[in-house]
């Protein structure tokens, strides 16, 4: 792999990427989006309606946000301050009605997003071509490249959301009637070139889950940590801004809790014992009638779970996944442990890797509630919903890290995601700390 090709997957380099790297990364992101679109072709996804917006809507929203932030934004060189200003008309007359999240509810999107697959692909191609053309003339500074970096991060996040949807829909291999799709290179998008098939385009969407040798927990002495990110390059709004926090000494797991550990809780009747659950967690459990993590059909001698559309035997040494915050908290209570705080997790992730601290198999729940460190409004709605979470911020929890399904350039040690404590569809697990 060439240094340039490697750089587009580097989370540190991409936050300060210039025009050349951004161009390559935007093409890479659009190719991934097209592969997921091919994977969903012909699939029955109506079961997702109670939890997600339609996959086609999410894909269209990715292109719409890119267009409205860049091609339709005459002040784009001024960076995020130009968002919300008067915009030009879209190249697709129905784009706002279809993909503007402020104009529709999730229920309406399932009823009213009638964009055809071929039409959506044309819109994806045209918006990317316009973005790449404008990127060539963009000022090579943070303000001039801010929105290009933002829409790249949004599309990368949407790719993982599409993986979450595919898992929830029981989607595995691409449908037999999936339409071939050309790579999203500038030449291909402008010439309408066709690929020879979907096989190469859909490979790698479901990676191999790693198994880890259990290591002893790590101890960290009392210290101060600079939590959050400093100005410079692209800084997601959830990380704004860096501030100092004191952290007492702590002990933290070297890797995320594994299936072998979590099954002990299940087999010990953990899902039937109210004392391990908070009040809200027990109420959620009774509503769900859950007796194991989502997608798990058997524990006992082996864990059998639905994964990528198939019932699979899950390796005991893999990180437990698809857990709500309530389940992670209940396991910690049962094990006489606790969830790590954000500062503890970040210290371990940034200074403990040489000692065996491993992260990135699953997103990881942390203790405490979601808090913004700045009064600035979010740059853009989260890709999974298309809606601002600010009104319900106090009810949300924080995950840190990334998963096997996270686009590598998003796996930044300071990255934060806000989720409801009942959210178990994502590729999320946890690790624990000593009390």
């Amino acid at each position: 792999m060439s240094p340039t090709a490697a750089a587009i997957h580097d989370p540190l380099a991409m936050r300060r990427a210039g025009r050349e790297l951004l161009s390559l990364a935007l093409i890479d992101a659009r190719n991934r989006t097209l592969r997921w679109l091919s994977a969903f072709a012909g699939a029955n996804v109506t079961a997702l309606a109670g939890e997600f917006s339609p996959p086609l809507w999410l894909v269209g929203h990715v292109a719409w946000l890119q267009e409205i932030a860049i091609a339709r934004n005459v002040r784009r060189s001024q960076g995020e301050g130009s968002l919300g200003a008067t915009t030009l008309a879209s190249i697709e007359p129905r784009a706002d009605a279809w993909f503007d999240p402020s104009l529709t509810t999730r229920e309406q999107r399932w009823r009213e997003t009638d964009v055809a697959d071929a039409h959506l692909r044309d819109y994806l191609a045209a918006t990317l071509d316009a973005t790449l053309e404008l990127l060539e003339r963009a000022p090579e500074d943070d303000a001039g490249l801010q929105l290009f970096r933002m829409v790249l991060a949004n599309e990368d996040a949407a790719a993982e959301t599409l993986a979450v949807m595919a898992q929830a829909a029981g989607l595995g291999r691409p449908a037999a009637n999936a339409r071939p799709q050309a790579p999203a290179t500038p030449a291909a998008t402008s010439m309408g070139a066709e690929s020879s098939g979907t096989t190469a385009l859909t490979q790698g969407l479901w990676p191999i889950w790693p198994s880890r040798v259990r290591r002893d927990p790590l101890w960290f002495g009392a210290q101060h940590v600079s939590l959050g990110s400093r100005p410079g390059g692209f800084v997601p709004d959830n990380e704004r801004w860096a501030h100092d926090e004191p952290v007492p000494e702590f002990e933290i797991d070297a890797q995320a809790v594994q299936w072998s550990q979590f099954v002990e809780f299940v087999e010990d009747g953990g899902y039937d014992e109210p004392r391990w659950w908070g009040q809200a967690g027990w109420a959620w459990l009774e509503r769900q009638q859950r007796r194991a993590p989502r997608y798990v059909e058997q524990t006992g001698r082996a864990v059998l779970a639905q994964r990528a559309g198939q019932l699979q035997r899950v390796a005991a040494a893999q990180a437990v996944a698809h857990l709500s915050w309530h389940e992670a908290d209940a396991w910690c209570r049962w094990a006489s442990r606790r969830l790590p705080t954000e500062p503890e997790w970040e210290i371990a992730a940034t200074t403990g890797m040489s000692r065996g601290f491993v992260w990135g198999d699953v997103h990881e729940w942390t203790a405490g509630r979601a808090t913004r460190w700045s009064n600035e409004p979010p740059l853009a709605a989260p890709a999974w919903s298309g809606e601002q979470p600010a009104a319900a911020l106090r009810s949300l929890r924080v995950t840190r890290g990334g998963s096997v399904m996270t686009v590598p350039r998003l796996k930044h040690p300071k990255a934060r995601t806000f989720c409801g404590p009942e959210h178990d569809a994502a590729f999320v697990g946890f690790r624990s700390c000593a009390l």
Side-chain angles (χ1 to χ4, degrees):
M1 182 181 293
S2 69
T4 300
I8 70 168
H9 302 299
D10 184 334
L12 300 179
M14 287 310 303
R15 289 200 172 186
R16 296 178 178 273
R19 291 191 297 249
E20 180 181 1
L21 278 183
L22 278 171
S23 178
L24 294 173
L26 286 163
I27 294 169
D28 175 68
R30 189 54 50 88
N31 282 334
R32 186 177 292 104
T33 299
L34 290 168
R35 294 203 304 273
W36 276 117
L37 189 58
S38 293
F40 276 100
N44 183 355
V45 295
T46 55
L48 302 177
E51 195 171 7
F52 302 97
S53 293
L56 285 181
W57 182 90
L58 178 59
V59 170
H61 174 70
V62 163
W64 174 85
L65 181 63
Q66 187 176 104
E67 185 190 28
I68 202 167
I70 297 174
R72 298 172 61 184
N73 181 3
V74 296
R75 297 170 54 199
R76 58 188 167 272
S77 63
Q78 298 177 25
E80 63 190 71
S82 65
L83 290 175
T86 303
T87 59
L88 303 174
S90 172
I91 57 174
E92 166 51 58
R94 293 163 292 182
D96 290 341
W98 277 335
F99 305 126
D100 185 342
S102 68
L103 299 180
T104 57
T105 63
R106 186 174 66 206
E107 292 74 17
Q108 289 174 315
R109 292 165 200 160
W110 282 96
R111 295 194 307 267
E112 301 171 9
T113 306
D114 58 351
V115 58
D117 181 88
H119 198 92
L120 179 57
R121 292 174 187 273
D122 289 342
Y123 183 56
L124 287 165
T127 51
L128 178 62
D129 277 345
T131 297
L132 295 177
E133 181 179 347
L134 292 169
L135 177 59
E136 291 180 356
R137 305 195 299 268
E140 192 92 37
D141 56 35
D142 281 347
L145 299 178
Q146 174 81 358
L147 297 183
F148 294 92
R149 294 166 178 164
M150 183 197 78
V151 299
L152 171 64
N154 181 74
E155 186 158 3
D156 285 341
E160 183 164 7
T161 304
L162 290 166
V164 171
M165 291 182 179
Q167 170 68 21
L171 200 65
R173 294 180 179 276
N177 61 344
R179 175 189 169 187
Q181 176 62 39
T185 62
T189 54
S190 61
M191 297 172 62
E194 292 291 333
S195 71
S196 59
T198 59
T199 301
L201 292 169
T202 53
Q203 285 179 348
L205 291 180
W206 297 110
I208 297 174
W209 284 74
S211 295
R212 306 283 184 189
V213 175
R214 289 270 300 277
R215 294 178 177 270
D216 292 335
L218 303 176
W219 179 88
F220 292 86
Q223 57 190 282
H224 282 72
V225 61
S226 179
L227 201 62
S229 297
R230 301 184 185 281
F234 175 69
V235 180
D237 56 274
N238 286 354
E239 300 173 25
R240 301 181 180 186
W241 294 106
H243 58 285
D244 187 75
E245 287 199 17
V247 183
E249 64 179 14
F250 64 97
E251 177 198 275
I252 188 169
D253 293 337
Q255 64 275 310
V257 169
Q258 299 176 346
W259 283 107
S260 60
Q261 297 169 276
F262 198 84
V263 164
E264 294 179 9
F265 169 69
V266 178
E267 295 297 301
D268 196 39
Y271 279 80
D272 300 310
E273 181 53 69
R275 63 180 169 144
W276 305 130
W277 302 78
Q279 183 176 357
W282 185 251
W284 170 81
L285 192 64
E286 290 193 312
R287 290 194 304 272
Q288 296 292 320
Q289 293 295 297
R290 186 73 59 77
R291 290 297 176 266
R294 185 168 179 164
Y295 305 125
V296 172
E297 297 193 7
Q298 174 187 305
T299 55
R301 299 179 65 180
V303 176
L304 298 180
Q306 292 289 338
R307 183 175 284 180
Q310 298 178 338
L311 185 63
Q312 299 182 16
R313 180 169 179 163
V314 179
Q318 291 178 2
V320 65
H322 302 295
L323 292 182
S324 68
W325 185 92
H326 298 307
E327 290 167 293
D329 180 60
W331 185 93
C332 287
R333 296 183 188 209
W334 169 82
S336 298
R337 305 278 288 179
R338 63 174 176 82
L339 291 171
T341 64
E342 285 195 75
E344 289 169 341
W345 191 96
E346 191 166 313
I347 288 172
T350 54
T351 67
M353 294 185 69
S354 63
R355 298 167 53 194
F357 187 89
V358 177
W359 62 277
D361 294 347
V362 289
H363 296 275
E364 300 180 28
W365 292 112
T366 58
R369 298 187 180 275
T371 304
R372 292 198 187 281
W373 299 324
S374 168
N375 292 326
E376 300 172 4
L379 285 180
W384 64 269
S385 67
E387 297 165 359
Q388 297 289 359
L393 189 61
R394 292 182 182 178
S395 68
L396 302 181
R397 300 287 181 169
V398 183
T399 67
R400 300 297 297 261
S403 78
V404 294
M405 302 304 301
T406 303
V407 175
R409 56 180 162 263
L410 289 186
K411 286 188 176 182
H412 196 285
K414 291 185 175 292
R416 311 168 76 214
T417 303
F418 296 166
C419 300
E422 301 177 358
H423 186 56
D424 59 1
F427 300 90
V428 60
F430 70 102
R431 74 182 70 219
S432 68
C433 285
L435 293 173

